Amino acid sequence: MTTRSEPEDGRPGPGLDAVMSERRHLVNLAYRLLGSLTEAEDAVQETYTRWYGLSREEQDAIESPGAWLTTVAGRVCLNVLGSARVRRETYVGEWIPEPLPGRDEWISGRTGGASVDPADRVTLDESVSLAFLVVLESMTPAERVAFVLHDVFCHSFAEVAVVVGRSPAACRQLASSARRRVRAARPSPAVTGRHAGVVGAFKEAWEAQDIEALIGLLDPDATAVADGGGLAATFLHPIEGGERIAYAWAELARRRADGMTLLESTVNGRPGLVAQQDGVTVTVFGFEVAGDRIRHIWVVRNPEKLSRWTVG
């Protein structure tokens, strides 16, 4: 991101360190609002562009630059969410949020593989699990912004109202509606050790083409969804039912290309799998595990969403 660190007269801007220290918070907020780190970075860049577009007098008059930046970033994201709904109507196949690697696997998607600035890393917690982000995708833009700002980032409804452009009471209703969607979807809480064991067992059964073992690891009502974006071959419609998924994955194993390796990894803070072709990440698999069975599998093959994954 290119920003002006000093006004044109050469004097330091008001509270420059405080302004720039908000970047990681803004990236975290925007990713949860948009489900795309690329779009989140663009939204944060637009936010800082607007800040540095203010005159020195206008900057001095802002009592809390951090609050101002959060408000502007929220409004930018709200606008992006509205246009994203239109774009995704023409998206090829299913749209899955951009998956994030673990801390040690993160590379920059925009600088040719250079190490990413820690300020650009998204904090991995429950609010960025793929299961949670998929639920957020089912919300209206206003619901999503109100819910994330209030329930995830603990802003008051008065503050949310300034972003959404509705009354605090209306924002309270929006967040309540969003909360009901989250409860109805029942995304499972993280039990990382147990989940890792289930995902590891799934990997072994998959590589062995052991259909019975795969069925035993999948919830009978499990679903698998893939995102190729029209840029990579994959199934276009969700596969429903544990048995159907088991047979589909066994078929994938039979068709696996030479040079393809399957690795256990961290996907949005949860145990997952990564497929690499000759050392290049070509597929990321996210899982939601309930108890000892897999409830959801998300398969991301769109190369535009894999740019931050380590190349071997």
Side-chain angles (χ1 to χ4, degrees):
M1 182 189 74
T2 301
T3 57
R4 190 173 79 241
S5 59
E6 294 185 356
E8 293 180 357
D9 61 9
R11 294 176 298 153
L16 177 61
D17 289 342
V19 170
M20 295 312 298
S21 70
E22 294 293 324
R23 178 171 172 77
R24 186 167 188 178
H25 164 73
L26 297 175
V27 171
N28 272 273
L29 172 64
Y31 175 72
R32 286 161 176 80
L33 289 177
L34 301 176
S36 164
L37 189 53
T38 300
E39 291 182 346
E41 289 175 334
D42 289 342
V44 173
Q45 180 169 341
E46 172 63 20
T47 299
Y48 276 107
T49 296
R50 295 187 187 185
W51 168 263
Y52 286 106
L54 299 175
S55 67
R56 178 63 177 271
E57 291 72 22
E58 289 171 322
Q59 290 178 350
D60 285 335
I62 295 173
E63 182 177 349
S64 173
W68 187 94
L69 290 166
T70 296
T71 297
V72 172
R75 288 173 175 168
V76 170
C77 289
L78 185 62
N79 291 335
V80 173
L81 284 170
S83 61
R85 282 181 166 255
V86 176
R87 293 198 309 274
R88 289 170 193 170
E89 288 177 358
T90 60
Y91 193 81
V92 178
E94 300 288 328
W95 191 94
I96 297 174
E98 180 182 342
L100 300 181
R103 179 181 300 275
D104 296 334
E105 300 162 309
W106 192 300
I107 61 172
S108 172
R110 294 191 170 187
T111 57
S115 297
V116 72
D117 187 327
D120 289 326
R121 289 197 183 101
V122 173
T123 303
L124 300 177
D125 61 22
E126 288 298 301
S127 65
V128 292
S129 72
L130 283 180
F132 190 77
L133 291 174
V134 168
V135 177
L136 294 181
E137 284 296 316
S138 70
M139 301 176 184
T140 68
E143 283 178 335
R144 185 167 185 167
V145 172
F147 176 78
V148 170
L149 282 173
H150 181 266
D151 285 43
V152 178
F153 288 90
C154 302
H155 289 279
S156 70
F157 284 118
E159 293 170 316
V160 175
V162 175
V163 177
V164 179
R166 305 191 189 185
S167 69
C171 291
R172 185 184 299 274
Q173 290 298 317
L174 288 169
S176 178
S177 174
R179 218 171 289 124
R180 287 194 295 271
R181 291 178 186 264
V182 173
R183 286 196 296 265
R186 298 179 298 115
S188 60
V191 185
T192 303
R194 180 185 298 174
H195 290 195
V198 173
V199 172
F202 183 86
K203 173 181 177 290
E204 292 179 6
W206 181 9
E207 292 181 318
Q209 301 177 36
D210 187 338
I211 292 176
E212 291 303 317
L214 288 170
I215 292 174
L217 290 164
L218 290 158
D219 186 286
D221 297 321
T223 61
V225 179
D227 178 346
L231 302 176
T234 191
F235 52 96
L236 293 178
H237 305 290
I239 302 174
E240 299 181 350
E243 187 170 333
R244 291 185 62 196
I245 294 172
Y247 278 98
W249 255 245
E251 182 63 24
L252 287 175
R254 283 191 288 272
R255 297 182 180 184
R256 188 169 69 178
D258 293 338
M260 180 76 73
T261 57
L262 194 61
L263 307 172
E264 294 183 49
S265 186
T266 299
V267 180
N268 285 60
R270 299 286 187 90
L273 299 174
V274 170
Q276 292 187 343
Q277 180 68 48
D278 299 321
V280 178
T281 297
V282 293
T283 312
V284 170
F285 301 86
F287 297 84
E288 182 186 7
V289 178
D292 294 319
R293 290 196 169 191
I294 295 167
R295 179 187 292 168
H296 295 292
I297 304 176
W298 294 282
V299 183
V300 181
R301 285 184 50 76
N302 184 340
E304 294 180 348
K305 296 184 179 183
L306 302 179
S307 60
R308 289 171 177 83
W309 289 80
T310 302
V311 176

